Amino acid sequence: MRPDAAAALSAAGRFARRPGLWLFLLLVAAIFLMPSAGILFHALFPDDRHLIYSRATFLELTLAHCQLVALSSLAAAAAGIGLGVFATRESGREFAPVVRAMAAIGQTFPPVAVLALAIPALGYGAPPALAALALYAALPVLEGSITGLDGVPASARDAARGIGFSPFELLWRIELPLAAPFILAGLRTAVIINIGTATIASSAGALSLGSPILEGLSAANPAYVVEGGIIAALLAICVDRGFDWLSELLKQK
Amino acid sequence: MAAGVLFPKPHDQVLLALAGFGAAGILAGSFLNRAPNRLANGVATALWHAPPLEAGAAMAGLAALAALAFHPKDKPRSAMTFGAAMLILWGCLSGAGRLASLFALSDPSAARYSLGAAFWILMATALLALLDAAQRANLGLLARAGLIAALGAGFALTANSGAFADLSLAKEFASHRDIFFIELRRHIVLVASAVFFALAISAPLTALVLRRPSARGLVFSGLGILQTIPSIALFGLLMAPLTALSQQFPLLRAWGINGAGAAPAIIALTLYSLLPLTRGFFTGVSEVAADVKDAAAGMGFSARQTFLLVELPLAWPALVSGLRVVTIQAIGLAAVAALIGAGGLGAFVFQGIGQYALDLVLVGAIPIILQALAASFGFQMLLAARRGS
């Protein structure tokens, strides 16, 4: 065999051995093939008439779910990293203990309770869900940012200042890259929690993968529950794998 | 220097920021919403419409916070911050209660008074000021526990005297009083049984992982995958197989195990608890230094004695923090279990969301949060007590 063909083959082999890839393909297959799985559900749940959730396609549900999670996580990342940077600067040092305590205490609040509190304050639908998810998700990011930025060795800071870095360059080129693994870990926790909470947000009127689950539960139709549950579980597992891959990339750099 | 004279530099910027936050809350938000019935939208009422004594106390407390920011000495500032925060808390609580009672004199009995954004912002301001003062005064856990107990007792006494009886939150609580304690007990039973089963499973799992390093990757990645699955999805996915099982085996049905209710909830909560517990045990025990174990063996300890007398005590902190994480997590997830008919405080939350009865949501959500905070604090006390002895 020619060496480049062998290399390509072994690369393909490595590619195929990534469980994340297979899980992702499984997710895509579940999203698109679920409507044709009627026979399977008929075999599993013989007495129900309407077995495939049809208020929205599974693609629409997945995209709405991802949108909810992505927007809230982006806002949370901006707020969490921003506040973390502020609390580790000279001017914000004084706020560090109270911000840290807030992040720790806030994370003991169950995400469902935060979602529930957002409804009286902001009403029904996607916006309150978005706000609750963002608010909650900011806390682990904030904690990761403070831990990461505080852990930057003084020698690295001094060296950067020594070669004439401005405070912004110091932050952007030294401190943030060194803190990145901790920030990423916080973001990962945040996103995984958000995927779970977004499922529950459908009880407050936001469209998500929780919509078929909740409708199945209230109408005693287990097929809907299984359909939504499988896709939601696969989505969460795939995203978690994605973060695994990202943190490996970060380590290699 | 001139600028410094015109606007002196604050000694505590946190207090100044909090005072600003509270003031913005008063100006922007409604203190109490007055609605003709349980479902209608309310009309906003601002804080200054509350009885002057209470409104004055809350505003004076806020002004005091702003002024205290410029106090140069840490200790007296912390003490006075504590007083100012108490003034705000009392003004808000009593003010809301008395304002509702005043409205109730002239309104029909169906009228409802719910707490508005300004109320919650002021409460948050006062509690954060307390937290900041406690941090700065380096208050120990025991002193904090005393402070919390005093606050709780004060609140309970005031609530018992009927001061809040006309608020819709209190009315909602009163009309669900009997079920409330049943659901509260159910919630605690769900959490306690899940933690119990998780302990029983993760102990042998830890032993396995410690003995067979080759199983480590498989166990931890498997439990990690379980951990990422959204709670309601896992509940739902457990229902179908459990239903099938209980239809096959009448004995299971006789024990009350079927697709809906407590059984899938406890199984799911147990599964979620396995990773943090096993990881906590594992890191705890495996971080006991080898020379300590050697020393124990040198003193003639058997493997069992080494485990019980040396490894376990040294692994205690990691064990307790694992338990803390798991308990807090289970308290939150048990709320979701109400959706599959397992009951618990989540029942009020989802019932309230469904009926648009937002105060009913709070009847469920506030005790859930308090439970989580209490569990967190309790485990911290446990860790500290151990360290102290």
Side-chain angles (χ1 to χ4, degrees), chain A residues 94-95 97 101 108 110 112 116-117 119 124 199 203 217 225 236-237 240, chain B residues 11-13 135-136 225 228 232 236 239 332 336 353 356 361-362 368 372-373:
Chain A
E94 219 184 319
F95 287 85
T108 61
V112 198
L117 293 184
I119 294 168
Y124 281 66
T199 327
S203 66
L217 287 174
V225 178
I237 295 170
D240 192 53
Chain B
H11 290 271
D12 188 336
Q13 295 179 36
Q135 298 271 71
R136 281 174 192 264
I225 287 176
T228 61
I232 184 69
M239 283 174 79
V336 183
I353 291 176
Y356 207 89
V361 174
L362 295 181
I368 293 172
L373 290 175

PDB file of all heavy atoms in Angstrom, chain A residues 94-95 97 101 108 110 112 116-117 119 124 199 203 217 225 236-237 240, chain B residues 11-13 135-136 225 228 232 236 239 332 336 353 356 361-362 368 372-373:
ATOM      1  N   GLU A  94     -11.778  44.623  46.133  1.00  0.00           N
ATOM      2  CA  GLU A  94     -12.610  44.718  47.318  1.00  0.00           C
ATOM      3  C   GLU A  94     -13.887  43.900  47.174  1.00  0.00           C
ATOM      4  O   GLU A  94     -14.458  43.436  48.142  1.00  0.00           O
ATOM      5  CB  GLU A  94     -12.958  46.190  47.534  1.00  0.00           C
ATOM      6  CG  GLU A  94     -12.955  46.580  48.968  1.00  0.00           C
ATOM      7  CD  GLU A  94     -13.402  48.008  49.112  1.00  0.00           C
ATOM      8  OE1 GLU A  94     -12.979  48.854  48.287  1.00  0.00           O
ATOM      9  OE2 GLU A  94     -14.197  48.271  50.002  1.00  0.00           O
ATOM     10  N   PHE A  95     -14.333  43.732  45.921  1.00  0.00           N
ATOM     11  CA  PHE A  95     -15.577  43.006  45.687  1.00  0.00           C
ATOM     12  C   PHE A  95     -15.358  41.493  45.651  1.00  0.00           C
ATOM     13  O   PHE A  95     -16.312  40.732  45.674  1.00  0.00           O
ATOM     14  CB  PHE A  95     -16.204  43.449  44.357  1.00  0.00           C
ATOM     15  CG  PHE A  95     -16.806  44.822  44.408  1.00  0.00           C
ATOM     16  CD1 PHE A  95     -16.029  45.944  44.192  1.00  0.00           C
ATOM     17  CD2 PHE A  95     -18.154  44.988  44.688  1.00  0.00           C
ATOM     18  CE1 PHE A  95     -16.581  47.203  44.247  1.00  0.00           C
ATOM     19  CE2 PHE A  95     -18.707  46.242  44.750  1.00  0.00           C
ATOM     20  CZ  PHE A  95     -17.926  47.359  44.524  1.00  0.00           C
ATOM     21  N   PRO A  97     -14.306  39.032  47.709  1.00  0.00           N
ATOM     22  CA  PRO A  97     -14.889  38.081  48.671  1.00  0.00           C
ATOM     23  C   PRO A  97     -16.404  37.946  48.513  1.00  0.00           C
ATOM     24  O   PRO A  97     -16.942  36.840  48.528  1.00  0.00           O
ATOM     25  CB  PRO A  97     -14.541  38.690  50.033  1.00  0.00           C
ATOM     26  CG  PRO A  97     -13.478  39.680  49.787  1.00  0.00           C
ATOM     27  CD  PRO A  97     -13.593  40.125  48.375  1.00  0.00           C
ATOM     28  N   ALA A 101     -18.441  34.627  47.391  1.00  0.00           N
ATOM     29  CA  ALA A 101     -19.468  34.039  48.257  1.00  0.00           C
ATOM     30  C   ALA A 101     -20.798  33.943  47.505  1.00  0.00           C
ATOM     31  O   ALA A 101     -21.530  32.956  47.623  1.00  0.00           O
ATOM     32  CB  ALA A 101     -19.631  34.890  49.521  1.00  0.00           C
ATOM     33  N   THR A 108     -25.810  26.829  45.148  1.00  0.00           N
ATOM     34  CA  THR A 108     -26.591  25.870  45.921  1.00  0.00           C
ATOM     35  C   THR A 108     -28.083  26.026  45.615  1.00  0.00           C
ATOM     36  O   THR A 108     -28.862  25.148  45.937  1.00  0.00           O
ATOM     37  CB  THR A 108     -26.368  26.028  47.442  1.00  0.00           C
ATOM     38  OG1 THR A 108     -26.773  27.329  47.794  1.00  0.00           O
ATOM     39  CG2 THR A 108     -24.937  25.814  47.822  1.00  0.00           C
ATOM     40  N   PRO A 110     -31.162  25.423  43.592  1.00  0.00           N
ATOM     41  CA  PRO A 110     -31.442  24.474  42.509  1.00  0.00           C
ATOM     42  C   PRO A 110     -31.853  25.224  41.229  1.00  0.00           C
ATOM     43  O   PRO A 110     -32.608  26.191  41.311  1.00  0.00           O
ATOM     44  CB  PRO A 110     -32.622  23.672  43.038  1.00  0.00           C
ATOM     45  CG  PRO A 110     -32.584  23.857  44.510  1.00  0.00           C
ATOM     46  CD  PRO A 110     -32.025  25.214  44.753  1.00  0.00           C
ATOM     47  N   VAL A 112     -33.934  24.508  38.966  1.00  0.00           N
ATOM     48  CA  VAL A 112     -35.386  24.537  38.771  1.00  0.00           C
ATOM     49  C   VAL A 112     -36.009  25.667  39.564  1.00  0.00           C
ATOM     50  O   VAL A 112     -36.944  26.326  39.102  1.00  0.00           O
ATOM     51  CB  VAL A 112     -36.055  23.244  39.282  1.00  0.00           C
ATOM     52  CG1 VAL A 112     -37.423  23.104  38.696  1.00  0.00           C
ATOM     53  CG2 VAL A 112     -35.205  22.045  39.011  1.00  0.00           C
ATOM     54  N   ALA A 116     -38.172  28.739  38.343  1.00  0.00           N
ATOM     55  CA  ALA A 116     -39.494  29.000  38.901  1.00  0.00           C
ATOM     56  C   ALA A 116     -39.611  30.447  39.370  1.00  0.00           C
ATOM     57  O   ALA A 116     -40.661  31.063  39.230  1.00  0.00           O
ATOM     58  CB  ALA A 116     -39.768  28.044  40.060  1.00  0.00           C
ATOM     59  N   LEU A 117     -38.515  30.992  39.925  1.00  0.00           N
ATOM     60  CA  LEU A 117     -38.559  32.369  40.415  1.00  0.00           C
ATOM     61  C   LEU A 117     -38.606  33.366  39.269  1.00  0.00           C
ATOM     62  O   LEU A 117     -39.117  34.471  39.417  1.00  0.00           O
ATOM     63  CB  LEU A 117     -37.340  32.662  41.294  1.00  0.00           C
ATOM     64  CG  LEU A 117     -37.273  31.915  42.617  1.00  0.00           C
ATOM     65  CD1 LEU A 117     -36.068  32.385  43.417  1.00  0.00           C
ATOM     66  CD2 LEU A 117     -38.537  32.139  43.427  1.00  0.00           C
ATOM     67  N   ILE A 119     -40.321  33.132  36.614  1.00  0.00           N
ATOM     68  CA  ILE A 119     -41.642  33.235  36.007  1.00  0.00           C
ATOM     69  C   ILE A 119     -42.499  34.339  36.643  1.00  0.00           C
ATOM     70  O   ILE A 119     -43.048  35.161  35.925  1.00  0.00           O
ATOM     71  CB  ILE A 119     -42.345  31.862  36.019  1.00  0.00           C
ATOM     72  CG1 ILE A 119     -41.558  30.922  35.108  1.00  0.00           C
ATOM     73  CG2 ILE A 119     -43.777  31.974  35.530  1.00  0.00           C
ATOM     74  CD1 ILE A 119     -41.954  29.488  35.241  1.00  0.00           C
ATOM     75  N   TYR A 124     -44.304  34.280  31.240  1.00  0.00           N
ATOM     76  CA  TYR A 124     -44.160  32.977  30.601  1.00  0.00           C
ATOM     77  C   TYR A 124     -43.400  33.101  29.278  1.00  0.00           C
ATOM     78  O   TYR A 124     -43.214  34.204  28.772  1.00  0.00           O
ATOM     79  CB  TYR A 124     -45.535  32.372  30.328  1.00  0.00           C
ATOM     80  CG  TYR A 124     -46.171  31.766  31.535  1.00  0.00           C
ATOM     81  CD1 TYR A 124     -46.555  32.559  32.604  1.00  0.00           C
ATOM     82  CD2 TYR A 124     -46.377  30.402  31.624  1.00  0.00           C
ATOM     83  CE1 TYR A 124     -47.140  32.009  33.724  1.00  0.00           C
ATOM     84  CE2 TYR A 124     -46.953  29.838  32.742  1.00  0.00           C
ATOM     85  CZ  TYR A 124     -47.347  30.640  33.784  1.00  0.00           C
ATOM     86  OH  TYR A 124     -47.908  30.092  34.887  1.00  0.00           O
ATOM     87  N   THR A 199     -34.889  21.826  29.244  1.00  0.00           N
ATOM     88  CA  THR A 199     -35.912  20.792  29.074  1.00  0.00           C
ATOM     89  C   THR A 199     -37.125  21.111  29.945  1.00  0.00           C
ATOM     90  O   THR A 199     -38.267  20.981  29.516  1.00  0.00           O
ATOM     91  CB  THR A 199     -35.354  19.416  29.493  1.00  0.00           C
ATOM     92  OG1 THR A 199     -33.977  19.382  29.175  1.00  0.00           O
ATOM     93  CG2 THR A 199     -36.052  18.304  28.796  1.00  0.00           C
ATOM     94  N   SER A 203     -42.166  23.703  30.583  1.00  0.00           N
ATOM     95  CA  SER A 203     -43.342  23.798  31.448  1.00  0.00           C
ATOM     96  C   SER A 203     -43.787  25.245  31.583  1.00  0.00           C
ATOM     97  O   SER A 203     -44.918  25.520  31.952  1.00  0.00           O
ATOM     98  CB  SER A 203     -43.040  23.207  32.820  1.00  0.00           C
ATOM     99  OG  SER A 203     -42.076  23.998  33.471  1.00  0.00           O
ATOM    100  N   LEU A 217     -46.082  13.235  29.505  1.00  0.00           N
ATOM    101  CA  LEU A 217     -46.361  12.969  30.919  1.00  0.00           C
ATOM    102  C   LEU A 217     -47.786  13.359  31.278  1.00  0.00           C
ATOM    103  O   LEU A 217     -48.489  12.625  31.962  1.00  0.00           O
ATOM    104  CB  LEU A 217     -45.372  13.721  31.809  1.00  0.00           C
ATOM    105  CG  LEU A 217     -43.950  13.185  31.847  1.00  0.00           C
ATOM    106  CD1 LEU A 217     -43.047  14.117  32.640  1.00  0.00           C
ATOM    107  CD2 LEU A 217     -43.923  11.799  32.462  1.00  0.00           C
ATOM    108  N   VAL A 225     -42.716  10.751  25.690  1.00  0.00           N
ATOM    109  CA  VAL A 225     -41.690  10.917  26.721  1.00  0.00           C
ATOM    110  C   VAL A 225     -40.377  10.302  26.253  1.00  0.00           C
ATOM    111  O   VAL A 225     -39.313  10.908  26.357  1.00  0.00           O
ATOM    112  CB  VAL A 225     -42.146  10.259  28.040  1.00  0.00           C
ATOM    113  CG1 VAL A 225     -41.065  10.389  29.094  1.00  0.00           C
ATOM    114  CG2 VAL A 225     -43.435  10.873  28.525  1.00  0.00           C
ATOM    115  N   ALA A 236     -27.244  16.072  25.238  1.00  0.00           N
ATOM    116  CA  ALA A 236     -26.401  16.416  26.389  1.00  0.00           C
ATOM    117  C   ALA A 236     -25.085  15.644  26.339  1.00  0.00           C
ATOM    118  O   ALA A 236     -24.013  16.208  26.571  1.00  0.00           O
ATOM    119  CB  ALA A 236     -27.145  16.118  27.689  1.00  0.00           C
ATOM    120  N   ILE A 237     -25.160  14.353  26.013  1.00  0.00           N
ATOM    121  CA  ILE A 237     -23.945  13.540  25.981  1.00  0.00           C
ATOM    122  C   ILE A 237     -23.000  14.037  24.898  1.00  0.00           C
ATOM    123  O   ILE A 237     -21.786  14.152  25.099  1.00  0.00           O
ATOM    124  CB  ILE A 237     -24.303  12.058  25.767  1.00  0.00           C
ATOM    125  CG1 ILE A 237     -25.103  11.547  26.975  1.00  0.00           C
ATOM    126  CG2 ILE A 237     -23.059  11.218  25.586  1.00  0.00           C
ATOM    127  CD1 ILE A 237     -25.713  10.188  26.768  1.00  0.00           C
ATOM    128  N   ASP A 240     -21.313  17.264  25.922  1.00  0.00           N
ATOM    129  CA  ASP A 240     -20.304  16.974  26.937  1.00  0.00           C
ATOM    130  C   ASP A 240     -19.025  16.441  26.294  1.00  0.00           C
ATOM    131  O   ASP A 240     -17.915  16.842  26.630  1.00  0.00           O
ATOM    132  CB  ASP A 240     -20.877  15.966  27.928  1.00  0.00           C
ATOM    133  CG  ASP A 240     -20.011  15.828  29.155  1.00  0.00           C
ATOM    134  OD1 ASP A 240     -19.715  16.867  29.766  1.00  0.00           O
ATOM    135  OD2 ASP A 240     -19.618  14.691  29.468  1.00  0.00           O
TER     136      ASP A 240
ATOM    137  N   HIS B  11     -14.567  53.780  51.911  1.00  0.00           N
ATOM    138  CA  HIS B  11     -13.726  52.733  52.480  1.00  0.00           C
ATOM    139  C   HIS B  11     -14.292  51.351  52.188  1.00  0.00           C
ATOM    140  O   HIS B  11     -13.623  50.357  52.336  1.00  0.00           O
ATOM    141  CB  HIS B  11     -13.578  52.940  53.979  1.00  0.00           C
ATOM    142  CG  HIS B  11     -12.747  54.130  54.314  1.00  0.00           C
ATOM    143  ND1 HIS B  11     -11.378  54.063  54.450  1.00  0.00           N
ATOM    144  CD2 HIS B  11     -13.077  55.424  54.500  1.00  0.00           C
ATOM    145  CE1 HIS B  11     -10.911  55.263  54.714  1.00  0.00           C
ATOM    146  NE2 HIS B  11     -11.918  56.112  54.749  1.00  0.00           N
ATOM    147  N   ASP B  12     -15.557  51.309  51.859  1.00  0.00           N
ATOM    148  CA  ASP B  12     -16.176  50.024  51.531  1.00  0.00           C
ATOM    149  C   ASP B  12     -17.039  50.210  50.279  1.00  0.00           C
ATOM    150  O   ASP B  12     -18.198  50.617  50.363  1.00  0.00           O
ATOM    151  CB  ASP B  12     -17.017  49.521  52.710  1.00  0.00           C
ATOM    152  CG  ASP B  12     -17.522  48.113  52.488  1.00  0.00           C
ATOM    153  OD1 ASP B  12     -17.638  47.690  51.314  1.00  0.00           O
ATOM    154  OD2 ASP B  12     -17.810  47.426  53.484  1.00  0.00           O
ATOM    155  N   GLN B  13     -16.449  49.947  49.124  1.00  0.00           N
ATOM    156  CA  GLN B  13     -17.174  50.163  47.866  1.00  0.00           C
ATOM    157  C   GLN B  13     -18.358  49.221  47.722  1.00  0.00           C
ATOM    158  O   GLN B  13     -19.333  49.532  47.054  1.00  0.00           O
ATOM    159  CB  GLN B  13     -16.237  49.934  46.684  1.00  0.00           C
ATOM    160  CG  GLN B  13     -15.107  50.918  46.613  1.00  0.00           C
ATOM    161  CD  GLN B  13     -14.201  50.607  45.429  1.00  0.00           C
ATOM    162  OE1 GLN B  13     -14.674  50.196  44.386  1.00  0.00           O
ATOM    163  NE2 GLN B  13     -12.925  50.801  45.615  1.00  0.00           N
ATOM    164  N   GLN B 135     -18.418  38.489  56.267  1.00  0.00           N
ATOM    165  CA  GLN B 135     -17.124  38.158  55.657  1.00  0.00           C
ATOM    166  C   GLN B 135     -16.034  39.043  56.253  1.00  0.00           C
ATOM    167  O   GLN B 135     -14.958  38.574  56.602  1.00  0.00           O
ATOM    168  CB  GLN B 135     -17.148  38.408  54.142  1.00  0.00           C
ATOM    169  CG  GLN B 135     -18.122  37.602  53.354  1.00  0.00           C
ATOM    170  CD  GLN B 135     -17.525  36.294  52.893  1.00  0.00           C
ATOM    171  OE1 GLN B 135     -17.314  35.424  53.712  1.00  0.00           O
ATOM    172  NE2 GLN B 135     -17.292  36.134  51.619  1.00  0.00           N
ATOM    173  N   ARG B 136     -16.346  40.356  56.324  1.00  0.00           N
ATOM    174  CA  ARG B 136     -15.319  41.295  56.778  1.00  0.00           C
ATOM    175  C   ARG B 136     -15.003  41.116  58.245  1.00  0.00           C
ATOM    176  O   ARG B 136     -13.865  41.310  58.677  1.00  0.00           O
ATOM    177  CB  ARG B 136     -15.770  42.734  56.527  1.00  0.00           C
ATOM    178  CG  ARG B 136     -15.582  43.132  55.085  1.00  0.00           C
ATOM    179  CD  ARG B 136     -16.160  44.494  54.827  1.00  0.00           C
ATOM    180  NE  ARG B 136     -16.212  44.728  53.395  1.00  0.00           N
ATOM    181  CZ  ARG B 136     -15.271  45.378  52.729  1.00  0.00           C
ATOM    182  NH1 ARG B 136     -14.239  45.868  53.358  1.00  0.00           N
ATOM    183  NH2 ARG B 136     -15.384  45.537  51.432  1.00  0.00           N
ATOM    184  N   ILE B 225     -21.449  10.030  32.039  1.00  0.00           N
ATOM    185  CA  ILE B 225     -22.483  10.134  31.007  1.00  0.00           C
ATOM    186  C   ILE B 225     -23.860  10.224  31.657  1.00  0.00           C
ATOM    187  O   ILE B 225     -24.676  11.073  31.296  1.00  0.00           O
ATOM    188  CB  ILE B 225     -22.400   8.920  30.058  1.00  0.00           C
ATOM    189  CG1 ILE B 225     -21.168   9.080  29.166  1.00  0.00           C
ATOM    190  CG2 ILE B 225     -23.657   8.801  29.205  1.00  0.00           C
ATOM    191  CD1 ILE B 225     -20.917   7.913  28.257  1.00  0.00           C
ATOM    192  N   THR B 228     -24.766  13.681  32.853  1.00  0.00           N
ATOM    193  CA  THR B 228     -25.095  14.758  31.916  1.00  0.00           C
ATOM    194  C   THR B 228     -26.533  14.668  31.407  1.00  0.00           C
ATOM    195  O   THR B 228     -27.035  15.642  30.881  1.00  0.00           O
ATOM    196  CB  THR B 228     -24.166  14.721  30.687  1.00  0.00           C
ATOM    197  OG1 THR B 228     -24.353  13.474  30.034  1.00  0.00           O
ATOM    198  CG2 THR B 228     -22.727  14.875  31.061  1.00  0.00           C
ATOM    199  N   ILE B 232     -35.304  15.361  33.603  1.00  0.00           N
ATOM    200  CA  ILE B 232     -36.646  14.951  33.210  1.00  0.00           C
ATOM    201  C   ILE B 232     -36.587  13.865  32.130  1.00  0.00           C
ATOM    202  O   ILE B 232     -37.443  12.972  32.075  1.00  0.00           O
ATOM    203  CB  ILE B 232     -37.491  16.176  32.781  1.00  0.00           C
ATOM    204  CG1 ILE B 232     -38.930  15.786  32.463  1.00  0.00           C
ATOM    205  CG2 ILE B 232     -36.903  16.912  31.623  1.00  0.00           C
ATOM    206  CD1 ILE B 232     -39.695  15.381  33.661  1.00  0.00           C
ATOM    207  N   GLY B 236     -38.150  10.160  32.587  1.00  0.00           N
ATOM    208  CA  GLY B 236     -39.054   9.644  31.570  1.00  0.00           C
ATOM    209  C   GLY B 236     -38.576   8.317  31.002  1.00  0.00           C
ATOM    210  O   GLY B 236     -39.367   7.390  30.818  1.00  0.00           O
ATOM    211  N   MET B 239     -39.329   5.444  33.224  1.00  0.00           N
ATOM    212  CA  MET B 239     -40.739   5.095  33.440  1.00  0.00           C
ATOM    213  C   MET B 239     -41.160   3.893  32.609  1.00  0.00           C
ATOM    214  O   MET B 239     -41.811   2.978  33.120  1.00  0.00           O
ATOM    215  CB  MET B 239     -41.633   6.282  33.106  1.00  0.00           C
ATOM    216  CG  MET B 239     -41.635   7.338  34.170  1.00  0.00           C
ATOM    217  SD  MET B 239     -42.565   8.771  33.634  1.00  0.00           S
ATOM    218  CE  MET B 239     -44.229   8.181  33.915  1.00  0.00           C
ATOM    219  N   GLY B 332     -32.590  19.682  44.604  1.00  0.00           N
ATOM    220  CA  GLY B 332     -33.064  20.364  43.403  1.00  0.00           C
ATOM    221  C   GLY B 332     -33.740  19.418  42.427  1.00  0.00           C
ATOM    222  O   GLY B 332     -34.789  19.734  41.863  1.00  0.00           O
ATOM    223  N   VAL B 336     -38.002  18.327  40.401  1.00  0.00           N
ATOM    224  CA  VAL B 336     -38.422  17.963  39.051  1.00  0.00           C
ATOM    225  C   VAL B 336     -39.248  16.679  39.079  1.00  0.00           C
ATOM    226  O   VAL B 336     -40.127  16.459  38.238  1.00  0.00           O
ATOM    227  CB  VAL B 336     -37.181  17.784  38.141  1.00  0.00           C
ATOM    228  CG1 VAL B 336     -37.586  17.477  36.728  1.00  0.00           C
ATOM    229  CG2 VAL B 336     -36.323  19.022  38.183  1.00  0.00           C
ATOM    230  N   ILE B 353     -47.176  26.993  38.196  1.00  0.00           N
ATOM    231  CA  ILE B 353     -46.867  27.417  36.829  1.00  0.00           C
ATOM    232  C   ILE B 353     -48.065  27.111  35.929  1.00  0.00           C
ATOM    233  O   ILE B 353     -48.477  27.935  35.120  1.00  0.00           O
ATOM    234  CB  ILE B 353     -45.597  26.706  36.309  1.00  0.00           C
ATOM    235  CG1 ILE B 353     -44.364  27.206  37.067  1.00  0.00           C
ATOM    236  CG2 ILE B 353     -45.416  26.956  34.818  1.00  0.00           C
ATOM    237  CD1 ILE B 353     -43.073  26.494  36.688  1.00  0.00           C
ATOM    238  N   TYR B 356     -51.032  29.460  36.603  1.00  0.00           N
ATOM    239  CA  TYR B 356     -50.654  30.873  36.628  1.00  0.00           C
ATOM    240  C   TYR B 356     -50.838  31.438  38.030  1.00  0.00           C
ATOM    241  O   TYR B 356     -51.150  32.620  38.214  1.00  0.00           O
ATOM    242  CB  TYR B 356     -51.476  31.684  35.620  1.00  0.00           C
ATOM    243  CG  TYR B 356     -50.741  32.913  35.142  1.00  0.00           C
ATOM    244  CD1 TYR B 356     -49.910  32.860  34.035  1.00  0.00           C
ATOM    245  CD2 TYR B 356     -50.866  34.118  35.802  1.00  0.00           C
ATOM    246  CE1 TYR B 356     -49.221  33.968  33.623  1.00  0.00           C
ATOM    247  CE2 TYR B 356     -50.176  35.239  35.393  1.00  0.00           C
ATOM    248  CZ  TYR B 356     -49.357  35.159  34.303  1.00  0.00           C
ATOM    249  OH  TYR B 356     -48.657  36.260  33.893  1.00  0.00           O
ATOM    250  N   VAL B 361     -46.160  29.044  43.171  1.00  0.00           N
ATOM    251  CA  VAL B 361     -44.807  28.680  42.745  1.00  0.00           C
ATOM    252  C   VAL B 361     -43.824  28.978  43.879  1.00  0.00           C
ATOM    253  O   VAL B 361     -42.958  28.154  44.201  1.00  0.00           O
ATOM    254  CB  VAL B 361     -44.403  29.472  41.474  1.00  0.00           C
ATOM    255  CG1 VAL B 361     -42.960  29.205  41.122  1.00  0.00           C
ATOM    256  CG2 VAL B 361     -45.304  29.114  40.312  1.00  0.00           C
ATOM    257  N   LEU B 362     -43.997  30.142  44.505  1.00  0.00           N
ATOM    258  CA  LEU B 362     -43.082  30.534  45.585  1.00  0.00           C
ATOM    259  C   LEU B 362     -43.232  29.630  46.807  1.00  0.00           C
ATOM    260  O   LEU B 362     -42.250  29.344  47.495  1.00  0.00           O
ATOM    261  CB  LEU B 362     -43.334  31.986  45.996  1.00  0.00           C
ATOM    262  CG  LEU B 362     -43.029  33.035  44.935  1.00  0.00           C
ATOM    263  CD1 LEU B 362     -43.299  34.424  45.466  1.00  0.00           C
ATOM    264  CD2 LEU B 362     -41.582  32.936  44.499  1.00  0.00           C
ATOM    265  N   ILE B 368     -37.617  24.963  48.854  1.00  0.00           N
ATOM    266  CA  ILE B 368     -36.588  24.157  48.169  1.00  0.00           C
ATOM    267  C   ILE B 368     -35.230  24.844  48.307  1.00  0.00           C
ATOM    268  O   ILE B 368     -34.226  24.218  48.652  1.00  0.00           O
ATOM    269  CB  ILE B 368     -36.945  23.956  46.681  1.00  0.00           C
ATOM    270  CG1 ILE B 368     -38.194  23.084  46.552  1.00  0.00           C
ATOM    271  CG2 ILE B 368     -35.801  23.298  45.933  1.00  0.00           C
ATOM    272  CD1 ILE B 368     -38.714  22.993  45.137  1.00  0.00           C
ATOM    273  N   ALA B 372     -31.854  23.582  50.388  1.00  0.00           N
ATOM    274  CA  ALA B 372     -30.524  23.440  49.785  1.00  0.00           C
ATOM    275  C   ALA B 372     -29.493  24.237  50.576  1.00  0.00           C
ATOM    276  O   ALA B 372     -28.392  23.747  50.860  1.00  0.00           O
ATOM    277  CB  ALA B 372     -30.555  23.886  48.328  1.00  0.00           C
ATOM    278  N   LEU B 373     -29.865  25.471  50.948  1.00  0.00           N
ATOM    279  CA  LEU B 373     -28.935  26.303  51.716  1.00  0.00           C
ATOM    280  C   LEU B 373     -28.648  25.668  53.071  1.00  0.00           C
ATOM    281  O   LEU B 373     -27.499  25.634  53.527  1.00  0.00           O
ATOM    282  CB  LEU B 373     -29.516  27.708  51.905  1.00  0.00           C
ATOM    283  CG  LEU B 373     -29.583  28.573  50.653  1.00  0.00           C
ATOM    284  CD1 LEU B 373     -30.288  29.889  50.949  1.00  0.00           C
ATOM    285  CD2 LEU B 373     -28.183  28.863  50.135  1.00  0.00           C
TER     286      LEU B 373
END
